Amino acid sequence: MLLLNLTWYFIVFSFLGWFSDGIRTLFTERKFHNRGFLASPFCPAYGGCTVIMYLALNPLKGNKLVLFATSTVIMSVMFIIIGFVIKKIMGFKPWDFSDNKFNIGSYMTIPYAFLLGITGTILVGLLIPVLDTLLIHIPFKISVTLVLCIFVFLLIDAIFSFITIIRLRRKIRALHEDAALLEKGVSQEKIDEVRENYNKLFTQNVLRKRLASAFPELKKRVYVQEIAEKLEEVKIDNMKEYTTVYTNKEEKPFAFGLCFTKLFYLFMIGSFVGTILETIWALIAEGHFEFRVGMIYGPFIPVYGGGACFLTVVLYKLYKLNDTLIYAISAVVGAGFEYLCSWLQETFLGTVSWDYSNTPFNLNGRTNLMYALIWGFLGLVWVRYLYPFAAKFIEKIPKRAGSILTTFLIIFMIFNSVMSVAAVWRWGQRDDGVKAQSSFELYLDKHFDDEKMKMLFPHMQYTKDDEEIYNSDSVAKSVSTPDNLTTANKYYTMTQK
C-alpha cells in the first residue's frame, strides 16, 4: 500500500510541478511554456523530490520548525544534484546563481533554499495528507491499473526524450563546426545553408520543439541571466519610490513619501494581508480552516498592519543596504515587534493570542527563531518589491477622494478598535460571572457572545495569574468543596479559549 501511495505521489506531483511551472511562465513571460523533461505533461524531478521528501520528513511533521529546517537542507541538496545532472546530460545549467551572494556552487542560494524549505513544509504538512484522503476513495484494482498504465506511458516518453536529446546535441555540435567554417571565407550559399539549418533546428521536429519550450536555454543560454537582469531592473525602478523629490507641492501625488496617511493605508493593507496569511497558515500547520482575525469588524489583524508600518519606518532609509543585511535587520525588528505586541496585549488586556513556549528557540513564548526567519524574509520582500508597489498604488488615489476616504477609514478603525477591546473585556466579565449592568453591555452580550468570540479569536487566552492562584496550596486544599469546584470549573472553561 505504501509503494502504491508513493507511486501516486510521484505521478500527481510530477503533473502539478509541470502545471505550476507553466503557470509561472504564463505570468512572467506572458506565454505558457510546456515545461518538463518529458514530452507529456509531467516533470519527473518534482515527483522524485516529493517521494524523497515524504520518506525523509513524514516522521518529523509533528514539529514544524524541525520540518522546515530539514526540508530546507534536503530540498536544497536535491536541487543541486538535479542541476548538476542536467548540466552533464544536456550541456547547460537549468538555473545559475553564480551572480547571487551566498550561492552554493552556482546551483543554489540561501534565500532560495529558505523558499524551498517553506515549499517542503507545505508539501509534507498539507498537500500529501490531502492527497491521501482522495486516494482512499479509489478502489485498489483500479488504482493499480491506472498506475501501471501511466508508468508505461512515462517510460516510453522518457526513452524518446533521451534519444531526442542525444541527437539534438550531435546536431548542435555539427552546426557549431559548420559555423566555424564561416570565419575562413566560404560561399554565400554555405552561409545561407548554415543559417537555415539553425532556423530548422527547433521548428521541424515536434520533440525538439517541446525541449525548446521546456528549456529555453537550448536556444539562448543566458535565459537565467535575463531573468536576473529583469529583476534588477524592477529593483532599480522601485528605488525611485525612496529617492523621488518634488520641488512643487502641487505636483506631489496623494500620500507622497513617508507620511502618516501612507502609513495608515499600509496598516490597512498589512492587516488585511495578515488575515489571509494566518488563514493559510492554519491550513498548513493545523490542517483545518480557521478564520483568524484581530478585530471584531472586518478581516484585519492589527499586528501585521503594525508590523508593515514598523518595518517601513525602520527600513525606509536602509534600502541601499544589501539583501543579507536587510534580511537580518528585518528578522530582528519583526521578532522584536511581535514580542512587544504580545507584551502589550497581556499587560493591558490581560490576554494572549499566541504562545510559542513549546517551540524551540522561543523568547518567553512571545516569539521564536522560526518566526524571526519568516519576518526576515517578509521584510526583505517588503522593502525590495511590495512596499514600492503598494506606495505607487496608494499614490494613484485622487487627492480629494483620498482625503474623504482616509477620514472615513480612520473613524471606522477607531470605532472598530474600541468595540473590539470592549467585546474582549465583556467576554472576560462573563467568564467571571458578572452580569450586564448597562444597555451597551447587553448589546455586547447579544451580538458578541462567547461562541462568536471564540470563533473570532480562537487562540486568545487569559494570562496565567488565575492559574497560579488555582494551583496554590490554599486552593488545592479546599478545591473539594462545592463552591470551590464551581470556581475551578469556571477557570477551566476560561482557559479553554
Side-chain angles (χ1 to χ4, degrees), residues 113 119 340 431 454 464:
T119 303
L340 177 64
D431 277 326
K454 289 178 182 178
K464 296 183 179 180

Side-chain angles (χ1 to χ4, degrees), residues 171-238:
K171 286 183 177 292
I172 291 175
R173 189 160 48 246
L175 285 173
H176 285 173
E177 292 173 357
D178 286 344
L181 295 175
L182 300 182
E183 299 176 358
K184 302 177 181 179
V186 294
S187 63
Q188 183 63 40
E189 181 179 355
K190 182 63 177 178
I191 294 175
D192 293 338
E193 179 185 342
V194 172
R195 184 181 293 114
E196 184 179 356
N197 288 336
Y198 265 109
N199 292 333
K200 291 179 179 179
L201 190 61
F202 296 102
T203 58
Q204 286 188 334
N205 186 284
V206 175
L207 289 177
R208 288 206 295 267
K209 286 183 181 179
R210 164 76 182 89
L211 286 173
S213 175
F215 303 101
E217 297 88 340
L218 287 172
K219 298 176 70 176
K220 199 167 187 178
R221 301 292 179 90
V222 294
Y223 177 73
V224 175
Q225 285 78 357
E226 284 188 345
I227 292 179
E229 290 172 3
K230 288 180 180 178
L231 288 176
E232 190 63 27
E233 289 175 4
V234 173
K235 186 186 296 185
I236 293 173
D237 184 63
N238 285 342

Side-chain angles (χ1 to χ4, degrees), residues 9-25 32-37 40-48 50 79 119 123 127 210:
Y9 298 163
F10 177 85
I11 293 172
V12 171
F13 288 101
S14 292
F15 171 77
L16 291 179
W18 168 85
F19 181 77
S20 61
D21 260 351
I23 295 298
R24 178 181 62 82
T25 59
F32 185 92
H33 281 292
N34 189 7
R35 292 290 193 179
F37 174 70
S40 53
F42 293 94
C43 288
Y46 288 96
T50 300
F79 266 71
T119 303
L123 184 72
L127 298 182
R210 164 76 182 89

Side-chain angles (χ1 to χ4, degrees), residues 43 49 64 71 78 104 163 185 243 300 329 347 351 355 403 421 438 450-451 464 471 475 488 495:
C43 288
C49 286
K64 294 299 184 294
S71 176
M78 286 193 294
I104 306 173
I163 293 173
T243 57
F300 303 110
I329 294 172
T347 301
T351 62
D355 183 7
S403 300
V421 172
S438 65
D450 291 353
E451 183 177 355
K464 296 183 179 180
N471 290 328
V475 176
T495 55

Side-chain angles (χ1 to χ4, degrees), residues 241-475:
E241 173 59 34
Y242 300 100
T243 57
T244 302
V245 176
Y246 288 94
T247 56
N248 191 345
K249 184 177 180 180
E250 286 70 24
E251 294 178 355
K252 291 184 179 180
F254 174 75
F256 175 72
L258 190 63
C259 61
F260 169 79
T261 304
K262 179 169 287 180
L263 289 175
F264 173 73
Y265 278 97
L266 292 177
F267 172 82
M268 295 290 293
I269 295 172
S271 298
F272 174 73
V273 173
T275 301
I276 298 175
L277 293 177
E278 282 290 335
T279 303
I280 295 174
W281 181 254
L283 284 171
I284 297 172
E286 301 182 17
H288 65 271
F289 177 81
E290 192 172 78
F291 187 63
R292 295 184 176 182
V293 294
M295 309 183 86
I296 60 175
Y297 297 119
F300 303 110
I301 299 182
V303 67
Y304 281 89
C309 295
F310 197 56
L311 285 174
T312 302
V313 171
V314 173
L315 302 175
Y316 188 79
K317 296 295 184 180
L318 305 179
Y319 65 91
K320 292 182 179 179
L321 297 179
N322 62 50
D323 291 351
T324 304
L325 283 176
I326 291 179
Y327 181 91
I329 294 172
S330 300
V332 175
V333 170
F337 180 78
E338 187 175 33
Y339 187 99
L340 177 64
C341 289
S342 175
W343 180 83
L344 290 173
Q345 180 182 345
E346 183 175 352
T347 301
F348 293 100
L349 295 180
T351 62
V352 293
S353 293
W354 60 87
D355 183 7
Y356 306 136
S357 300
N358 296 325
T359 63
F361 307 107
N362 73 86
L363 186 60
N364 295 333
R366 302 185 190 280
T367 188
N368 61 24
L369 178 61
M370 182 182 72
Y371 282 102
L373 297 176
I374 293 175
W375 275 110
F377 174 76
L378 292 176
L380 177 60
V381 174
W382 177 257
V383 170
R384 289 288 185 243
Y385 302 104
L386 296 184
Y387 167 72
F389 174 79
K392 291 175 184 177
F393 175 78
I394 294 169
E395 290 171 3
K396 289 181 180 179
I397 300 175
K399 290 184 178 180
R400 183 175 178 80
S403 300
I404 297 172
L405 179 62
T406 303
T407 303
F408 170 78
L409 290 176
I410 289 175
I411 295 173
F412 167 72
M413 291 304 289
I414 292 175
F415 172 75
N416 197 357
S417 300
V418 172
M419 290 296 293
S420 298
V421 172
V424 172
W425 170 79
R426 182 58 196 149
W427 189 15
Q429 290 281 298
R430 288 196 298 270
D431 277 326
D432 292 334
V434 178
K435 296 183 179 180
Q437 303 294 324
S438 65
S439 57
F440 178 64
E441 293 179 358
L442 289 172
Y443 173 85
L444 293 175
D445 289 350
K446 179 180 179 181
H447 295 279
F448 299 99
D449 55 15
D450 291 353
E451 183 177 355
K452 186 168 185 178
M453 294 299 287
K454 289 178 182 178
M455 186 271 290
L456 291 174
F457 308 107
H459 294 278
M460 183 176 288
Q461 297 181 3
Y462 285 94
T463 54
K464 296 183 179 180
D465 295 340
D466 291 329
E467 183 180 5
E468 292 171 357
I469 295 173
Y470 173 70
N471 290 328
S472 64
D473 292 338
S474 59
V475 176

